[in-house]
Amino acid sequence: VATLNETTVKPGAIGTFTLWELAPGRPTLTTERFQLVAESVGLFGPEIELITETLGYHGQLIHSSPPAADGRYHLQPGENRSLYVQIKNTGHHTWRRGTNTPIYLGTSAPRDRMSPLLGSNRTSTYNEPVVNPGENAAFEFTVTAPATPGRYEESFELVAEGASWFGSPFVLSFSVDEQ
């Protein structure tokens, strides 16, 4: 299920494990019980109960601003370009703008890194005041091409701020061309 993150853990020290759970497509509460095991020795230590809640946030990329025929957005160094992506709310929660858990597109791969194209780690939120399950949300944002020509990949994932990352990550490809 999980392996120890550290190479060794001295007596009295803390060891950490990373667990990944595939969430079901509906809100639910899941209880799992774990116990430490030393291979070829046996179980030891107290049983650990892990309770997780699937919040029901899900979304799917439907459409984005049309790129060039090669699948990239071509920009000149320093050029600003407005883009949009359309995301379908495939979850069980209604998305409401202006709440304590606004929905954003966040940078991913890795998550929350500063983007050389956005100048931050989030785009703006969607335009619609309410997006019910089954409806689409339009996210509009501006990218600014870096000064250095080259190819850039920007990976995005949906985030319910303060609650959960969700949906499948997607990539937009950019080419900053020589002037």
Side-chain angles (χ1 to χ4, degrees), residues 42-120:
L43 299 172
F44 67 96
E47 186 174 88
I48 301 164
E49 184 175 84
L50 179 65
I51 300 172
T52 58
E53 180 180 8
T54 304
L55 298 175
Y57 289 105
H58 297 280
Q60 177 184 8
L61 175 67
I62 300 297
H63 183 71
S64 66
S65 300
D70 65 358
R72 296 185 174 279
Y73 298 98
H74 289 268
L75 304 168
Q76 296 297 311
E79 178 185 349
N80 292 323
R81 174 87 52 93
S82 293
L83 298 176
Y84 71 89
V85 294
Q86 192 174 38
I87 305 286
K88 184 174 187 171
N89 179 351
T90 58
H92 298 280
H93 282 300
T94 297
W95 303 347
R96 298 181 194 285
R97 211 175 48 195
T99 65
N100 291 337
T101 51
I103 308 298
Y104 291 102
L105 288 177
T107 56
S108 62
R111 288 179 176 165
D112 269 344
R113 67 181 161 67
M114 293 300 287
S115 166
L117 296 157
L118 297 171
S120 70

